[in-house]
Amino acid sequence: MRGFAHFIRLALMGVALTACGVPIDDLPEPVEIELVETPIAEPSVTEDLQAVPIYLVEEGSITSVTRDLPPPRDAASVLESLLEGTTEPEERTGLRTSIPAETMLLGVEMDGRTAHIDLSRDFAAVGGDEEVLAVAQIVLTVTDVDGVDGVLFYLEGIPTDVPLPNGALADRPLGRAEYTSLVSP
């Protein structure tokens, strides 16, 4: 009896499978294939990449790393790279950023050799020593760009004071000299 039930189940499965299948034609039929030209992706041009210094945090001080960036390598593009946070290889070597991850660059305006940097309010989420390190990261990274000697900070269009390493607040353009004491030897 068991064999008969098994036979019936197999027969029913066979009927079900053939009912869902593709019908068999008597003669083969040609299949039309439409050829579509797809553009071949151009290989990325790496010869335009240039090593640019970016400043990150390592054990409470600032250190320089390089990242290969395409043109233009202006204050805005270099700062965007910094605000993207650390790369996986940088993290593996113990590097980090003090800049809050949510911080967005709203704009960079050049006035002579001073970069007016407008950041989202998220930048204000950091405080204390971490804020000093975050400001130092930005000032050192941006003033390494040709033609930039100073940085003024804005939060959503409003000028803002930022801390110096000695704890004082500054509302003037800040240059490399103010933060070199934080750079690791």
Side-chain angles (χ1 to χ4, degrees):
M1 183 87 157
R2 188 172 249 208
F4 181 72
H6 182 67
F7 173 76
I8 294 294
R9 262 189 255 130
L10 284 176
L12 288 174
M13 284 180 21
V15 169
L17 285 174
T18 56
C20 296
V22 177
I24 298 175
D25 291 334
D26 292 337
L27 297 173
E29 292 184 27
V31 176
E32 301 254 344
I33 298 175
E34 182 180 336
L35 296 176
V36 178
E37 285 190 42
T38 56
I40 298 174
E42 293 291 322
S44 64
V45 180
T46 57
E47 54 234 29
D48 281 349
L49 295 178
Q50 182 180 354
V52 175
I54 302 289
Y55 290 82
L56 298 172
V57 178
E58 180 179 40
E59 297 178 5
S61 63
I62 301 292
T63 191
S64 174
V65 299
T66 57
R67 291 185 184 167
D68 293 330
L69 298 181
R73 289 170 287 274
D74 56 8
S77 65
V78 172
L79 188 52
E80 282 287 356
S81 180
L82 174 65
L83 293 178
E84 288 173 3
T86 52
T87 64
E88 194 173 306
E90 291 166 348
E91 288 175 10
R92 281 195 305 263
T93 62
L95 297 172
R96 65 180 182 84
T97 182
S98 289
I99 301 168
E102 300 79 23
T103 302
M104 293 186 307
L105 179 61
L106 303 178
V108 175
E109 297 289 327
M110 291 300 298
D111 181 12
R113 298 181 68 82
T114 301
H116 295 251
I117 297 174
D118 192 9
L119 301 170
S120 64
R121 265 210 196 283
D122 302 304
F123 184 72
V126 68
D129 291 341
E130 288 297 305
E131 183 179 12
V132 173
L133 291 171
V135 170
Q137 284 183 258
I138 292 172
V139 170
L140 292 168
T141 297
V142 173
T143 57
D144 242 340
V145 173
D146 286 338
V148 181
D149 292 332
V151 176
L152 269 172
F153 285 82
Y154 295 80
L155 291 182
E156 298 190 3
I158 300 169
T160 188
D161 298 344
V162 293
L164 296 167
N166 66 7
L169 293 176
D171 63 353
R172 60 181 168 74
L174 301 170
R176 302 185 67 70
E178 280 91 3
Y179 296 96
T180 54
S181 65
L182 299 175
V183 178
S184 60

